[in-house]
Amino acid sequence: MREPLRVTIVTGTSAALSDLLCVRMRALGVPVARYRYEDGALLRSHDGERTSVPVDHCASCALRADLPDFLTGLPGGRLMLVLPETADPLDVAITSEGAGAVVETVAMIVDLGSVADALAGADTLAERGLAAGVTDHRTLAGLLARQAETADVFLTWTGPDTDPDQVGLGRALLTHLSPGAGFTDIDAAADRIGVDAGKAFDLQAVLERTQPGGALPGCPAAFGRVSTLIWRSRRPFHPERLYAALDRVMDTGVRRARGHLWLASRPLTLLSWQIAGATLSIEPAGQWLHTAGPDEWQRASPIRRTAACLDWHPEHGDRRSEIRFTGTDLLDRELCSVLDEALLTGPEMAVGERAWARLADPFTPWLGPIARAS
């Protein structure tokens, strides 16, 4: 019987630090496979061989397409899988486990001194020369947040001239993005991920805390200037008041926010809410189960169904807003006040959903036409 392949996924936005880790681990005899993007090509190096992976228009898609055959062709044992700087580790973990591998750990290599600035900016990956293709419009802050929220261990590096305050701020932000994740200096990585440390990564738990409509992680205690709050409401947002409030939300010190919302003018649509750095996005993320038929319930993920049942309202079903905000010097009272003021008032709730459907919706150019019950 074939020994299972036990994989440690390594992610991070610094190619130099990833290369450093590969050199050290190979010197210790740890099997390493390294994917990288170079001049529009995807290259895989493993066991002294370099393979060029065909890329159509999306290098990330090519990576996910190549992984199953590569992993199933290995004899089992342990493997350190080092990803390109812009790869999504959650997508890779899903693909790896789907190919029969056991993902033991997702480690993120991070320069602690650069985290705070990266999570405050609006630079796109294309502007940084990191885009995985012409259609890759992600931001550096969004990528860093996504990688951090998937990781269960951070491999940290700090430059000799780095401001200690920035190091502390970066560590605090990462602690709040991935509560429970460990920290290990990259020089001691072999002790944490280069040996058989057992399985720490829980794919189901990551999916539960990252999927719109799922259960958000709790709030760690405030760490220096960094704090987190979860804002919830059973009343829907008034579309015009929410639209007018967005700039004020962004001025409260938020570095990262994630969750879902209920917009009164869109009774069928669950909307995701994301803030990463200086960029905010609100996008359709499926249908509320409140109005779903049996077929739609079955198509919904187990995470969605469980969260809906646990928090079901007799009148509004699973429709609600729930957003987790992490910030530096976060103005939590002002933030909550701004969001509360954008909700429907008591009298507006009383007039009912037919009246809500007539509300002007300034989000239409971005969210598209409003779905109506058939």
Side-chain angles (χ1 to χ4, degrees), residues 286-338:
Q287 180 180 354
W288 290 112
L289 297 181
H290 172 69
T291 54
D295 291 342
E296 287 83 0
W297 266 90
Q298 289 303 313
R299 284 195 293 267
S301 70
I303 296 168
R304 279 288 316 280
R305 296 198 299 266
T306 299
C309 291
L310 290 175
D311 203 18
W312 194 263
H313 186 277
E315 182 178 357
H316 304 306
D318 61 327
R319 294 183 296 178
R320 67 200 188 283
S321 296
E322 186 171 286
I323 308 170
R324 186 181 191 271
F325 294 92
T326 295
T328 304
D329 303 320
L330 188 64
L331 303 176
D332 49 358
R333 291 185 180 180
E334 180 178 336
L335 173 60
C336 291
S337 176
V338 169

Side-chain angles (χ1 to χ4, degrees), residues 238-261:
H238 187 289
E240 290 181 307
R241 288 201 291 271
L242 177 60
Y243 188 82
L246 295 180
D247 285 342
R248 294 173 63 197
V249 169
M250 297 298 289
D251 288 339
T252 59
V254 176
R255 298 291 184 94
R256 175 62 167 160
R258 184 168 46 80
H260 56 269
L261 63 97

